[in-house]
């Protein structure tokens, strides 16, 4: 009886073991097989049989010669023989086989000899694993490493090219200036009177020298951008004044071609923005010159400025030859010229718009174009609008005066938190803590300057106003380079600080304020040769409406009854911002359906205020558009819903 029970128990155990082993055989994705000494399969698992389109029992008795092409089977038989005659296993042998459809398959095979009770080899166990994906991944990794290396090489070449362009351009500049002076002397008849034909020839030479000069300046700009060496000199500028400064010049230029030119500037509202006036002048000159260049007689050019919620938008419109739809995405690329057969080859090298775009983006603005062949073009750009601030107060001036030695350059680096009270409230920062931290950053930054730089100047904190949120430091005997380096390091440090605190919407920018010693009424006896003021301003972006970053579903009703679904990036009581798959024309009025949670979807009207091109990869072309919409004629009811929604999430 006992014996029977024991047998039953043993049987149960064996049954369990068998179940476990057969589960293992059937569940693993690897091919498992047993062969006898003659290479015949005596047992295979499901994966093996399935791969051959058979059942496991149908495979039993077959050899590799029945299954695989002869050459391959022979190779396998050789391995089998090796394992079974030497008793040495083959571990993880990687083999490649090309599938019928041409795709390479990779497998890793392990073959282990099998012994009987007496230690005699009676066959082998084989396991084969498909490692195609792993191999593909490894190949991709190798390819990636190779491409990275190639890119590094190209970057190095590009850097060398930029440096070469820079050196050559600089070298050409000097002799060109000498040639220009010589030609001017001749034209001005300093070297003797000229007959009109001679004057005509020399004037042509002068014009071409100017053209060459422009090209050299453009090449220098490009190499500066590429080497990250472009320096911006920001100051507080009245945009209308800036535009009006060049109005007469362009008007005359346009009239010479029989083209009308008019400016439409906002009346009764000052636009003081923080920009590099020289560079923005360059942008305007590029766009207006192009408009004149590509507009025929009797055409019209119009420059319009509009104040948006937190930006200023400028558009240069012309009724010229226009740009074909397929050319629009590449118009801001380097060396693009689209002269068609019917057009005369125009002057220029196709760098103007590229430089224009870089300059606008450096200012934190957007630039885009709308155009139709034969109708005209509209080049738009925006610039951020920030608070203006006051120039030096009297006690600071006195301090500078007391500290500075006569006839030495002095740099005042002044950090001001714009709208300090609101800033503190919004970010819940106590003034002692914040200003204390910022003061430490000043000291740290100074220590970070190289030893040579430090010995050149010694800093003095000359202003600490915890109530107004202002710190000033004087760099005595410092040169421009040291001051710029100091400001850049300081800005980076502050930027990191705000980022670490998760504070969004903070702007940090550096300005150079004109310091007019006369209007600042310094005592003449103590006049310092030069005071340079670098103002770092930290603040909240100026907006009429507070915006929240919120993804709400929206539907845009496009002209022609088409509907595009999207999500907002941010929402304010003034408008929304979202990504659109297709372009919608600037200023076009569209209907937007807003879908806020727990509120019935509702429609509002909005104008397309600004557009930002988003490229998937540089040079590939525009893929998406980031659009800023401003609400128009909001119904009181809708206004209330939006306002409640935004405020509840502030
Ligand atoms: P370029 O200095 O050669 O004019 P840009 O970068 O300023 O170079 O312009 C590149 C090309 O874009 C021009 O050659 C022209 O084909 C086209 N383009 C620029 N502005 C206009 C415009 N207002 N109307 C039509 N085509 C334009």
């Amino acid at each position: 009886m006992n014996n029977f029970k024991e047998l039953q128990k043993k049987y149960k155990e064996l049954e369990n073991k068998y179940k476990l082993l057969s589960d293992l055989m059937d569940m693993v994705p690897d091919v498992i097989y047993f062969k006898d000494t003659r290479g015949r399969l005596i047992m295979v698992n499901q994966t093996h049989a399935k791969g051959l389109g058979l059942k496991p029992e149908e495979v039993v008795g077959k050899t590799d010669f029945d299954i695989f092409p002869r050459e391959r089977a022979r190779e396998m038989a050789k391995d089998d023989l090796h394992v079974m005659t030497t008793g040495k296993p083959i571990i993880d042998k990687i083999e490649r086989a090309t599938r019928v459809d041409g795709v390479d398959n990779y497998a890793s095979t392990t073959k282990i000899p099998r012994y009987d009770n007496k230690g005699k080899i009676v066959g082998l166990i084989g396991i084969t694993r498909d490692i195609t994906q792993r191999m593909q991944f490894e190949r991709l990794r190798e390819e990636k490493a190779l491409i990275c290396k190639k890119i590094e090489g190209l970057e190095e070449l590009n850097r060398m090219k930029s440096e070469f362009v820079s050196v050559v351009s600089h070298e050409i500049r000097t002799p060109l200036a000498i040639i220009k002076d010589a030609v001017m002397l001749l034209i001005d008849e300093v070297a003797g009177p000229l007959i009109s034909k001679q004057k005509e020839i020399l004037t042509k030479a002068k014009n071409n020298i100017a053209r060459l000069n422009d090209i050299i300046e453009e090449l220098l700009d490009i190499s500066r951008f590429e080497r990250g060496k472009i320096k911006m000199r920001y100051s507080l500028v009245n945009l209308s004044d800036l535009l009006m400064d060049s109005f007469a010049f362009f008007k005359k230029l346009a009239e010479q071609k029989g083209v009308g030119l008019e400016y439409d500037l906002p009346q009764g509202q000052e636009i003081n923005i923080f920009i590099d006036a020289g560079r923005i002048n360059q942008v305007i000159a590029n766009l207006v010159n192009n408009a004149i260049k590509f507009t025929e007689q009797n055409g019209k050019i119009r420059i319009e400025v509009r104040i948006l919620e937190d930006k200023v938008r400028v558009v240069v419109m012309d009724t010229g030859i226009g740009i074909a739809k397929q050319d629009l995405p590449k118009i801001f690329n380097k060396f693009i010229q689209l002269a068609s057969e019917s057009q005369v080859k125009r002057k220029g090298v196709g760098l103007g718009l590229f430089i224009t775009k870089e300059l606008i983006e450096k200012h934190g603005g957007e630039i885009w174009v709308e155009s139709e062949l034969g109708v005209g073009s509209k080049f738009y750009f925006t610039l951020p609008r920030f608070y203006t601030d006051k120039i030096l107060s009297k006690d600071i001036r006195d301090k500078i005066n007391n500290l500075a030695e006569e006839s030495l350059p002095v740099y005042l680096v002044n950090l001001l938190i714009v709208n300090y009270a609101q800033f503190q409230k919004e970010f819940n920062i106590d003034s002692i803590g914040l200003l204390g931290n910022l003061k430490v950053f000043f000291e740290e930054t100074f220590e970070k300057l190289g030893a040579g730089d430090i010995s050149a100047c010694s800093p003095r904190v000359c202003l600490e106003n915890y109530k107004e949120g202002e710190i000033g430091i004087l760099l005595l005997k410092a040169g421009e380079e040291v001051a710029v380096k100091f400001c850049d390091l300081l800005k980076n440090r502050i930027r990191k600080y705000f980022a670490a605190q998760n504070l969004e919407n903070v702007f940090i920018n550096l300005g150079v304020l004109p310091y007019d010693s006369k209007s600042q009424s310094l005592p003449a006896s103590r006049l310092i040769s030069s005071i340079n003021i670098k103002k770092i301003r930290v603040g909240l972006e100026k907006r009429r409406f507070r915006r929240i970053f919120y993804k709400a579903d929206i539907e845009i009703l496009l002209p022609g009854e088409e509907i595009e679904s999207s999500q907002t990036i941010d929402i304010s009581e003034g408008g929304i911002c979202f990504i659109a798959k297709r372009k919608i024309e600037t200023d076009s009025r569209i209907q937007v359906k807003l879908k806020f949670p727990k509120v019935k979807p509702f429609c509002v009207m909005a104008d397309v205020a600004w557009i930002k091109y988003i490229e998937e990869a540089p040079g590939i072309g525009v893929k998406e558009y980031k659009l800023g919409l401003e609400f128009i004629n909001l119904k009181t009811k809708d206004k209330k819903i939006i306002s409640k929604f935004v405020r509840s999430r502030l």
Side-chain angles (χ1 to χ4, degrees), residues 327-380:
D327 292 330
L328 285 173
K330 55 183 182 207
I331 195 87
F332 293 108
N333 292 356
K334 263 181 263 184
F335 303 111
I336 290 292
Q337 281 193 304
L338 312 164
S340 71
E341 280 166 44
S342 60
Q343 294 157 19
V344 214
K345 183 93 182 93
R346 321 260 171 181
K347 294 170 189 171
V349 282
L351 289 175
L353 286 179
F354 173 79
I355 294 170
T356 298
K357 177 171 172 264
E358 293 284 318
L359 289 174
I360 290 298
E361 287 179 352
K362 196 101 191 152
H363 275 84
E366 291 92 19
I367 181 157
W368 69 101
V369 60
E370 284 163 12
S371 185
E372 204 177 317
L373 216 51
V375 177
S377 309
K378 294 177 186 172
F379 281 88
Y380 289 90

Side-chain angles (χ1 to χ4, degrees), residues 85-317:
T85 49
T86 62
K88 283 185 188 155
I90 290 177
I91 310 276
D92 209 7
K93 180 179 176 186
I94 293 173
E95 286 165 309
R96 196 179 80 178
T98 308
R99 270 184 357 208
V100 201
D101 57 9
V103 175
D104 277 349
N105 247 353
Y106 288 89
S108 149
T109 299
T110 293
K111 288 179 178 172
I112 307 157
R114 216 163 59 81
Y115 297 89
D116 66 7
N117 294 341
K118 294 188 188 107
K120 193 174 146 220
I121 293 178
V122 289
L124 61 78
I125 308 168
I127 302 171
T128 300
R129 169 170 294 181
D130 186 341
I131 55 162
T132 310
Q133 265 192 343
R134 197 178 88 196
M135 293 302 282
Q136 276 170 345
F137 181 71
E138 259 167 38
R139 216 168 50 199
L140 280 178
R141 213 169 47 190
E142 277 164 21
E143 274 172 21
K144 190 181 156 203
L146 213 74
I147 290 171
C148 283
K149 227 177 161 167
K150 273 191 188 157
I151 290 176
E152 269 172 32
L154 286 174
E155 275 172 352
E156 174 61 13
L157 266 180
N158 199 28
R159 201 188 50 74
M160 280 163 63
K161 180 218 71 189
S162 289
E163 259 175 44
F164 173 76
V165 170
S166 166
V167 170
V168 172
S169 307
H170 274 295
E171 287 302 312
I172 297 175
R173 235 178 9 182
T174 319
L176 195 67
I178 297 169
I179 296 171
K180 186 182 158 202
D181 286 348
V183 170
M184 287 312 289
L185 283 176
L186 291 175
I187 290 181
D188 293 342
E189 301 188 331
V190 176
L194 298 176
I195 58 167
S196 68
K197 187 74 194 161
Q198 288 168 330
K199 218 169 194 167
E200 195 186 306
I201 294 171
L202 284 170
T203 308
K204 247 188 206 153
K206 184 191 100 183
N207 290 344
N208 278 292
I209 291 169
R211 249 188 78 194
L212 195 55
N213 219 20
D214 287 348
I215 294 172
I216 291 169
E217 287 304 323
E218 284 187 339
L219 286 174
L220 274 171
D221 270 350
I222 297 276
S223 87
R224 280 187 201 117
F225 278 124
E226 285 177 348
R227 290 175 304 142
K229 289 246 162 94
I230 196 111
K231 284 222 174 77
M232 309 296 270
R233 294 174 171 279
Y234 292 99
S235 61
L236 210 51
V237 176
N238 182 313
L239 187 68
S240 301
D241 288 353
L242 183 90
L243 284 166
M244 285 321 288
D245 279 349
S246 54
F247 176 66
F249 174 79
F250 288 125
K251 179 109 183 138
K252 202 168 142 211
L253 205 65
E255 269 167 9
Q256 281 168 1
K257 241 193 120 181
V259 173
L261 178 92
E262 56 179 49
Y263 281 25
D264 183 357
L265 308 175
Q267 299 300 314
Q269 200 176 353
E270 284 212 349
I271 321 167
N272 289 313
I273 48 175
F274 226 53
I275 52 172
D276 182 324
R279 291 301 191 174
I280 294 303
N281 251 334
Q282 189 181 346
V283 165
I284 292 160
N286 262 338
L287 297 179
V288 178
N289 271 326
N290 274 349
I292 297 174
K293 206 157 53 164
F294 298 105
T295 303
E296 307 302 343
Q297 203 173 9
N298 296 328
K300 278 198 175 66
I301 298 170
R302 213 173 124 81
I303 290 125
E304 218 177 77
V305 177
R306 226 186 101 183
I307 300 176
L308 303 178
E309 194 193 327
D310 61 338
K311 307 168 194 284
V312 186
R313 192 186 79 191
V314 181
V315 55
V316 178
M317 295 184 253

Side-chain angles (χ1 to χ4, degrees), residues 566-584:
S566 185
Q567 275 190 331
T568 53
I569 297 170
D570 62 60
I571 308 173
S572 78
E573 289 168 56
I576 57 170
C577 168
F578 73 99
I579 302 279
K581 289 268 176 275
R582 74 190 90 180
K583 200 171 163 187
I584 308 173

Side-chain angles (χ1 to χ4, degrees), residues 433-480:
L434 176 62
L435 264 280
N437 282 342
L438 293 177
K439 207 176 133 194
V440 172
F441 299 157
F442 263 86
E443 282 154 19
E444 277 177 13
T445 306
F446 191 74
E447 274 164 29
K448 257 188 152 178
L449 282 177
D453 295 335
I454 290 183
S455 61
C457 56
S458 51
R460 306 262 184 105
V461 174
C462 69
L463 159 77
E464 271 177 86
N465 188 340
Y466 281 69
K467 222 166 125 210
E468 298 273 329
E470 198 170 6
I471 305 178
I473 189 170
L474 278 179
L475 298 178
L476 303 179
K477 302 185 215 168
E480 168 75 12

